[in-house]
Amino acid sequence: MDRKIESALISVFYKDGLEPIVRQLHHEGATIYSTGGTQAFIETLGIPCVPVENITGYPSILGGRVKTLHPKVFGGILARREFGEDQQHVAEYEIPLFDLVIVDLYPFEETVRSTNDEKKIIEKIDIGGPSMIRAAAKNHNDVAVISSKDDYAELVQLLTQQKGVLSLVQRRKFAAKAFDVVAHYDVVIAAYFKKDLEESSFQISLGNKQSLRYGENPHQPGAFYGSLDELFEKLNGKELSYNNLVDVDAACQIVSEFDQPVFAIIKHTNVCGIALGTSVADTWKKALSGDPESAFGGVLITNQTINLEVAEKINELFFEVLIAPAFEPDALALLKTKKNRILLKQTQTFVPKQEYKRILNGALVQESDILNFIEWKEQGARESSTEERENLLFANLVCKHLKSNAIALVKDKKLIGKGCGQTSRIDALRQAIEKANQFGFDLKGAVLASDAFFPFDDCAKMAHQVGISAIIQPGGSVRDNDTISYCKDNGIALVFTGVRHFKH
């Protein structure tokens, strides 16, 4: 059923974009009811407005906490036009009917991001707003509801084209959006209060939907929910794809582990090149040399400013995305010569506290893997040297970000071979050695990191055969003594960390 908008209740926090709606409603002859700041805004436009206080007989009280929580307001929203008893009550209690409700919500989420002042945060928990939105959405058979300024433009267009009339289909669509808005709002508030409590349910709500070209594959529709502009300033290139975003996340996570100058190259969430160094050019050269073949079409990231020297070298490679905290102007000008090349200036480091994934008909939730080791237990033939220790620390962090089963081979603070996503640990080591050999690296004096314990001593034996001098792993196998004995008999330094780093 079509519904002519003859009366509208408007009470919003954000006034931008509201003026065209108010003017169109006035043009169509609708009576406008409002409160506080919204009423003042409408009156500055020279448009008549009925204060809600005239309906309720009460002013705004308790510092603005109570303005619209009144039977005459909610009666006017919830009254069913075709129900005789409802209409008797409307007449008896002189309740004005509302055909349109435009209400947004106090900016709770934004306030939490901007302050730790709990009093300010609590005051941004909206009570009347969600109640009016839910009431109008429930009664969408008779009432249209607009719950976000994102819908203002569409509403103006409909009111203009349809001369103040909205169809049931349109009202139902706005109602669905309204319930979504309120649900998100409640989840955000619940998350704020549950942060120190054990959760009995898992809830997450993310707004800002961004439709992607497709998902992981072209036949899969995909979307991203979140605010990328809180983390990055996009300087150039096409829209980020689903797979780009997955790799950008992996890139940001691994680089966040390091304070020293670092450069990393990511392919399919695994790091295929990474190095520490003294400058951005030095780290790029070392990272690329680790696996120049896999670097093609990768996601590149550094924690250093991109200057012209390194930009000229990077420009020789085809890559999807480059992430850095800053770009010198001449370097940026050069890199922007390829219009599809995505350049992201990282403005904020993000280290998630929690991870989750859909599993079967539910979800798995865990704390993020932020613990690197709980002990440094030298178990081999000798203590690791200072140089070995630095390389072992680096290798352990790199291996942590490879898909299991994973092995990382490092020399001179550079990844020179890696095996990842293998079904056995010995296969991961074979793959890592093969990669190192492919690009001509001498493994003598290199170190090895494993994401989990060695179930047998075969990995220690294979590592020794190619010249690896030190190993870091969690330990914890019932056969640890076999590996310890082999390392002691063959001069290999062996460190147990006590922390496993499975990644699936």
Side-chain angles (χ1 to χ4, degrees):
M1 178 190 297
D2 291 346
R3 176 74 62 195
K4 171 75 173 179
I5 305 302
E6 296 179 350
S7 62
L9 172 60
I10 307 176
S11 180
V12 296
F13 186 88
Y14 296 106
K15 314 299 188 295
D16 46 314
L18 184 63
E19 180 178 347
I21 295 175
V22 173
R23 293 197 180 281
Q24 186 61 34
L25 288 170
H26 180 61
H27 175 74
E28 297 294 339
T31 301
I32 299 175
Y33 299 83
S34 193
T35 64
T38 307
Q39 175 191 337
F41 171 79
I42 294 171
E43 288 173 344
T44 64
L45 302 177
I47 293 173
C49 179
V50 179
V52 167
E53 290 92 330
N54 289 5
I55 303 171
T56 65
Y58 281 89
S60 173
I61 62 174
L62 306 182
R65 282 189 166 197
V66 179
K67 294 192 289 282
T68 56
L69 295 169
H70 193 279
K72 283 196 172 183
V73 174
F74 281 86
I77 298 173
L78 286 165
R80 292 159 290 188
R81 308 300 198 266
E82 73 279 13
F83 273 50
E85 186 177 358
D86 284 11
Q87 294 309 305
Q88 287 176 11
H89 288 155
V90 165
E92 181 179 355
Y93 297 109
E94 298 179 338
I95 298 172
L97 296 176
F98 302 119
D99 302 311
L100 172 65
V101 173
I102 303 177
V103 174
D104 63 7
L105 302 173
Y106 292 166
F108 179 85
E109 200 167 5
E110 295 85 343
T111 305
V112 169
R113 283 198 295 262
S114 64
T115 182
N116 292 320
D117 187 331
E118 183 150 281
K119 288 185 178 179
K120 291 182 178 179
I121 291 171
I122 295 298
E123 286 308 310
K124 287 299 184 287
I125 298 177
D126 204 332
I127 304 301
S131 301
M132 288 189 288
I133 290 171
R134 287 174 62 86
K138 177 178 181 177
N139 199 27
H140 66 271
N141 190 63
D142 296 306
V143 180
V145 58
I146 300 297
S147 55
S148 169
K149 61 182 180 181
D150 294 340
D151 294 325
Y152 286 0
E154 182 179 0
L155 176 62
V156 169
Q157 184 179 27
L158 291 174
L159 292 174
T160 303
Q161 292 176 348
Q162 299 170 186
K163 301 186 183 305
V165 173
L166 295 177
S167 70
L168 178 58
V169 170
Q170 291 160 350
R171 297 196 301 276
R172 186 177 179 85
K173 176 185 173 183
F174 285 130
K177 288 185 178 181
F179 282 122
D180 187 60
V181 166
V182 174
H184 173 75
Y185 195 72
D186 286 340
V187 168
V188 171
I189 294 172
Y192 174 77
F193 282 97
K194 290 196 302 184
K195 59 188 176 185
D196 298 320
L197 301 176
E198 183 176 345
E199 297 184 22
S200 59
S201 63
F202 173 64
Q203 300 166 333
I204 183 169
S205 181
L206 297 170
N208 301 313
K209 178 182 178 180
Q210 299 170 49
S211 296
L212 304 173
R213 296 193 299 276
Y214 49 81
E216 201 161 8
N217 298 293
H219 64 279
Q220 297 172 268
F224 173 77
Y225 294 83
S227 300
L228 288 174
D229 54 5
E230 293 179 2
L231 304 177
F232 307 104
E233 179 184 350
K234 186 179 174 188
L235 304 177
N236 189 68
K238 59 187 178 182
E239 293 302 314
L240 285 158
S241 70
Y242 183 102
N243 293 327
N244 288 156
L245 288 165
V246 172
D247 282 348
V248 165
D249 178 69
C252 291
Q253 296 312 312
I254 191 168
V255 166
S256 71
E257 300 275 10
F258 302 100
D259 295 323
Q260 313 99 305
V262 63
F263 219 121
I265 305 166
I266 308 298
K267 282 290 288 291
H268 297 291
T269 74
N270 286 302
V271 58
C272 59
I274 185 170
L276 302 180
T278 57
S279 68
V280 66
D282 176 49
T283 53
W284 166 249
K285 181 179 178 181
K286 290 169 68 176
L288 180 63
S289 68
D291 189 347
E293 185 176 73
S294 295
F296 181 86
V299 169
L300 319 180
I301 185 168
T302 183
N303 58 4
Q304 303 295 294
T305 297
I306 297 294
N307 57 31
L308 183 59
E309 178 188 3
V310 74
E312 289 175 339
K313 295 173 181 177
I314 293 172
N315 197 48
E316 298 171 358
L317 176 75
F318 169 72
F319 63 88
E320 287 279 335
V321 185
L322 172 59
I323 308 163
F327 294 78
E328 292 185 357
D330 50 0
L332 182 60
L334 173 63
L335 293 168
K336 289 174 72 173
T337 56
K338 301 289 179 65
K339 67 177 183 178
N340 287 331
R341 180 182 281 167
I342 301 169
L343 304 176
L344 299 178
K345 178 182 176 181
Q346 187 172 9
T347 56
Q348 181 179 324
T349 299
F350 174 69
V351 180
K353 296 179 180 179
Q354 191 181 64
E355 297 173 354
Y356 44 88
K357 64 168 67 174
R358 182 209 57 78
I359 294 293
L360 301 174
N361 62 345
L364 286 174
V365 183
Q366 65 176 359
E367 289 185 1
S368 296
D369 185 7
I370 58 175
L371 184 63
N372 294 322
F373 56 85
I374 57 175
E375 61 182 358
W376 186 275
K377 198 170 183 179
E378 299 274 2
Q379 295 280 71
R382 55 183 175 78
E383 286 201 359
S384 53
S385 67
T386 299
E387 182 180 1
E388 285 174 332
R389 194 173 300 115
E390 291 176 351
N391 279 310
L392 288 169
L393 285 166
F394 176 66
N396 190 53
L397 288 175
V398 172
C399 194
K400 170 182 169 181
H401 291 270
L402 293 170
K403 292 294 179 69
S404 300
N405 287 310
I407 295 288
L409 304 181
V410 166
K411 193 172 185 179
D412 299 327
K413 298 179 187 174
K414 175 177 74 174
L415 181 66
I416 60 173
K418 52 100 178 55
C420 51
Q422 299 302 301
T423 52
S424 72
R425 195 148 305 281
I426 193 70
D427 277 347
L429 179 54
R430 287 193 187 100
Q431 184 187 62
I433 292 170
E434 181 182 343
K435 271 292 183 183
N437 290 335
Q438 179 183 352
F439 299 109
F441 291 110
D442 180 5
L443 286 168
K444 186 176 181 181
V447 306
L448 178 157
S450 174
D451 65 334
F453 62 64
F454 290 166
F456 307 101
D457 62 2
D458 52 357
C459 285
K461 290 177 179 178
M462 184 178 289
H464 178 240
Q465 290 168 4
V466 297
I468 289 168
S469 66
I471 296 170
I472 188 168
Q473 56 137 313
S477 168
V478 294
R479 294 176 180 267
D480 274 350
N481 285 335
D482 294 349
T483 297
I484 292 170
S485 296
Y486 185 86
C487 289
K488 285 183 174 179
D489 291 344
N490 291 276
I492 301 171
L494 175 65
V495 175
F496 284 178
T497 66
V499 177
R500 189 180 72 183
H501 292 297
F502 271 169
K503 185 177 177 65
H504 297 105

